[in-house]
């Protein structure tokens, strides 16, 4: 089975849209998301545009604040502090990467954790690690929801997370642990990645290496989630491929996400879900 990320995202967005409509009727309030975009990094421009379009689709007020690459750290912090106080803003997202002179961790720590829809603030990271309610990084959250849609009970399954980044690998490990999986983390220095992979019932790959995982790495019936986005040259132009060699792997799996059209659209839907969650928490509305 190929998991259709676009379809999955459409369903999730419809659910979010309906809930926002009903909240608007009751409270006359609208969730608000502000995205901060610095410089003119081409992929970031595309991501931010897609985030803004999707937010509008579900009825979230979204705004993009653009700044030049030369913005100072102090100025950026003052922008965030203002957004923290703004009652119409429930979600704040600072698009990464940031220019070299700005310390990412300093900026993230300035965001009110209740408005941290990326789930990057140490308070949210800590709450997730201790099994408490928190805003969760959108990509791993999307991967988790897709895995759960294939198989409800993950207890005791062997899960392999390839990649250990703060954005993807580490939060994904926490989500799989919460489901009672036996989790192994593989990364660039891991020696026997193929052997580890052959034992895994669930494989999530966020390594940033095109076609890293091959068909003979995969246990029959595994669930494979490919977070990779690699731009590779083809005859006339470029194409985007994942970290999984789709053609050889697909035959072995119970379910797999394609690239493109897998994890990407679901990540955006999860950002909208996080914005709704932040809005409800801030306004003391119950969560469904
Ligand atoms: N740049 C690439 N992915 C992300 C993400 O998930 N959040 C933010 N803020 N920036 C990104």
């Amino acid at each position: 089975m190929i998991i259709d990320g676009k379809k999955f995202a459409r369903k999730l967005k419809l659910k979010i849209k309906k809930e926002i409509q009903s909240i608007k009727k009751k409270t006359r309030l609208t969730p608000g998301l502000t995205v901060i975009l610095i410089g003119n990094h081409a992929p970031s421009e595309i991501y931010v545009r897609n985030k803004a379009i999707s937010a509008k689709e579900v009825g979230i007020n979204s705004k993009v604040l653009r700044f030049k690459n030369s913005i100072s750290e102090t100025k950026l912090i003052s922008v965030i502090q203002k957004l923290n106080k703004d009652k119409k803003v429930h979600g704040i997202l600072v698009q990464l990467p940031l220019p070299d002179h700005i310390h990412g961790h300093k900026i993230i720590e300035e965001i009110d954790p209740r408005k941290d829809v990326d789930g990057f603030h140490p308070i949210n990271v800590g709450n997730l690690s201790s099994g408490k309610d928190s805003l969760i990084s959108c990509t791993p959250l999307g991967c988790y929801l897709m895995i759960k849609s294939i198989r409800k009970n993950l207890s005791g399954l062997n899960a392999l997370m390839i990649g250990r980044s703060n954005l993807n690998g580490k939060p994904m490990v926490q989500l799989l642990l919460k489901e009672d999986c036996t989790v192994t983390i593989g990364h660039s220095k891991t020696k026997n990645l193929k052997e580890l992979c052959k034992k895994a019932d669930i494989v999530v790959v966020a390594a940033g290496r095109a076609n890293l995982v091959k068909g003979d790495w995969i246990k029959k019936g595994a669930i494979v989630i490919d977070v990779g986005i690699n731009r590779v040259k083809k005859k006339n132009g470029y194409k985007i491929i994942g970290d999984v060699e789709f053609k050889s792997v697909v035959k072995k799996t119970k379910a797999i996400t394609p690239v493109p059209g897998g994890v990407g659209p679901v990540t955006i839907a999860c950002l909208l879900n996080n914005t709704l969650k932040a809005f409800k928490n801030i306004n003391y509305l119950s969560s469904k």
Side-chain angles (χ1 to χ4, degrees):
M1 176 196 178
I2 297 170
I3 305 172
D4 183 340
K6 284 188 193 159
K7 194 169 155 195
F8 197 95
R10 252 199 314 275
K11 265 189 174 167
L12 184 53
K13 285 198 284 189
L14 187 64
K15 185 169 160 266
I16 296 166
K17 186 176 175 176
K18 282 185 178 161
E19 194 173 349
I20 290 178
Q21 280 170 344
S22 116
I23 287 176
K24 273 186 188 171
K25 260 193 200 156
K26 273 188 233 148
T27 65
R28 310 243 156 240
L29 296 171
T30 301
L33 169 68
T34 297
V35 178
I36 296 175
L37 177 59
I38 297 166
N40 38 24
H41 182 245
S44 291
E45 295 266 0
I46 298 168
Y47 293 144
V48 167
R49 193 178 62 218
N50 289 339
K51 286 170 186 177
I53 292 170
S54 296
K56 217 172 240 155
E57 273 172 21
V58 299
I60 290 172
N61 272 340
S62 83
K63 206 168 168 182
V64 179
L65 300 180
R66 290 169 177 274
F67 297 96
K68 288 198 180 124
N69 241 316
S70 56
I71 186 174
S72 70
E73 209 169 71
T74 319
K75 168 71 183 161
L76 185 54
I77 288 174
S78 77
V79 170
I80 290 172
Q81 286 172 344
K82 210 169 141 203
L83 293 170
N84 283 343
K85 286 191 208 123
D86 190 332
K87 290 219 156 37
K88 290 194 172 135
V89 175
H90 309 92
I92 303 169
L93 183 148
V94 180
Q95 187 65 26
L96 304 175
L98 291 169
D100 289 344
H101 68 279
I102 294 180
H103 297 92
H105 66 94
K106 241 184 177 174
I107 299 304
I108 288 162
E109 282 169 30
E110 282 299 328
I111 300 173
D112 180 340
R114 296 176 311 159
K115 298 190 178 187
D116 166 39
V117 284
D118 256 329
F120 293 166
H121 192 286
I123 295 229
N124 283 317
V125 174
N127 280 340
L128 175 64
S129 304
S130 1
K132 286 192 243 158
D133 187 52
S134 70
L135 287 164
I136 299 168
S137 181
C138 304
T139 303
L141 179 58
C143 296
Y144 168 79
L145 294 176
M146 284 191 278
I147 295 167
K148 287 285 280 184
S149 77
I150 300 298
R151 197 164 166 170
K152 271 214 163 69
N153 183 3
L154 309 181
S155 179
L157 296 184
N158 287 334
L160 173 66
M161 176 67 229
I162 305 180
R164 54 175 159 176
S165 70
N166 291 334
L167 263 75
N168 294 311
K170 287 179 194 162
M172 191 71 229
V173 165
Q174 297 302 340
L175 291 167
L176 292 165
L177 268 180
K178 252 173 130 169
E179 291 292 323
D180 298 324
C181 289
T182 303
V183 188
T184 305
I185 309 166
H187 48 77
S188 55
K189 303 286 188 292
T190 301
K191 291 214 169 75
N192 52 347
L193 201 51
K194 179 178 172 181
E195 294 314 308
L196 294 173
C197 199
K198 280 163 104 172
K199 295 193 185 104
D201 306 296
I202 299 169
V203 185
V204 182
V205 196
R209 282 177 58 191
N211 290 336
L212 171 71
V213 175
K214 318 272 192 233
D216 63 349
W217 289 35
I218 299 294
K219 178 176 171 181
K220 201 163 178 342
I223 300 172
V224 177
I225 307 290
D226 189 351
V227 181
I229 302 176
N230 306 288
R231 211 166 83 114
V232 294
K233 250 191 165 139
K234 60 171 195 174
K235 270 174 247 150
N236 38 7
Y238 289 90
K239 66 171 178 174
I240 300 291
I241 63 168
D243 291 351
V244 172
E245 191 183 72
F246 189 84
K247 210 171 142 207
S248 61
V249 171
V250 64
K251 296 176 234 167
K252 306 278 285 287
T253 59
K254 177 182 170 74
I256 183 169
T257 57
V259 177
V263 173
V266 183
T267 294
I268 295 191
C270 286
L271 170 66
L272 310 177
N273 202 51
N274 278 352
T275 306
L276 174 58
K277 184 181 168 97
F279 168 83
K280 287 195 288 188
N281 285 345
I282 288 167
N283 290 294
Y284 304 104
L285 298 167
S286 67
S287 286
K288 270 190 191 166

